[in-house]
Amino acid sequence: GQIIAERRFVEAINRQAYQYEMGDFPTEWEAWIRKKRNDPPTIEEILKNENYREDMKQKIKDVSKKDKLLQAKEYKEGLVAEPVHTQVKGHASAPYYGKKEPSQDPTSTASTFQPGSWMPQGSGSGHNK
């Protein structure tokens, strides 16, 4: 009087079972093993879905290529502004952000304080006092 749950599995042919990774099986078989579908897939169904996925990938490539060409044309004609490329030189919370040498002036950045540095006279830093 005991109900035994159905077990679904796939036998490994070319590799040991532990060598298989996600994506090695067609998604239709994965769905059947995980009981997301009732009937096992047919070869025709797997091939049809694979061809559909390849067609979609190709269509996506074509559309993105056309979009890039259209975008380049709009940039050239001046209809759309080109994106600005920002050059990052340091981090804003660094005590010497944007400075290459210590300064006689004290600096404060975020929660840090850097006192001014002593500079000998004639050191060429532009501070002649």
Side-chain angles (χ1 to χ4, degrees), residues 43-96:
I43 293 173
E44 293 82 17
E45 178 186 4
I46 293 171
L47 292 175
K48 183 182 98 175
N49 289 342
E50 202 171 287
N51 288 336
Y52 175 76
R53 285 187 207 103
E54 290 299 320
D55 289 345
M56 290 307 293
K57 284 180 186 178
Q58 187 60 43
K59 287 179 182 178
I60 290 169
K61 284 180 185 178
D62 292 344
V63 167
S64 66
K65 187 176 180 181
K66 286 180 185 178
D67 186 49
K68 285 181 183 179
L69 291 173
L70 179 64
Q71 203 173 35
K73 180 182 172 189
E74 289 175 346
Y75 288 152
K76 187 176 179 181
E77 293 175 357
L79 299 174
V80 178
E82 292 190 40
V84 178
H85 297 287
T86 306
Q87 184 178 14
V88 178
K89 294 185 177 181
H91 193 273
S93 66
Y96 290 111

Side-chain angles (χ1 to χ4, degrees), residues 1 13 22 24 39 48 55 64 80 95 98 102 109 114 118 123:
I13 295 174
M22 190 70 145
D24 286 347
D39 299 323
K48 183 182 98 175
D55 289 345
S64 66
V80 178
T109 306
Q114 183 71 31
W118 177 79
S123 64

Side-chain angles (χ1 to χ4, degrees), residues 20-48:
Y20 280 94
E21 295 180 7
M22 190 70 145
D24 286 347
F25 295 110
T27 54
E28 295 82 7
W29 278 110
E30 292 272 351
W32 180 76
I33 289 170
R34 297 179 193 287
K35 299 182 182 178
K36 301 290 183 188
R37 59 182 290 162
N38 294 328
D39 299 323
T42 62
I43 293 173
E44 293 82 17
E45 178 186 4
I46 293 171
L47 292 175
K48 183 182 98 175

Side-chain angles (χ1 to χ4, degrees), residues 95-96 98-107 114-120 123-127:
Y96 290 111
K99 296 183 181 180
K100 299 205 178 359
E101 60 183 44
S103 169
Q104 288 181 338
D105 303 321
T107 58
Q114 183 71 31
S117 301
W118 177 79
M119 302 289 275
S123 64
S125 66
H127 292 282

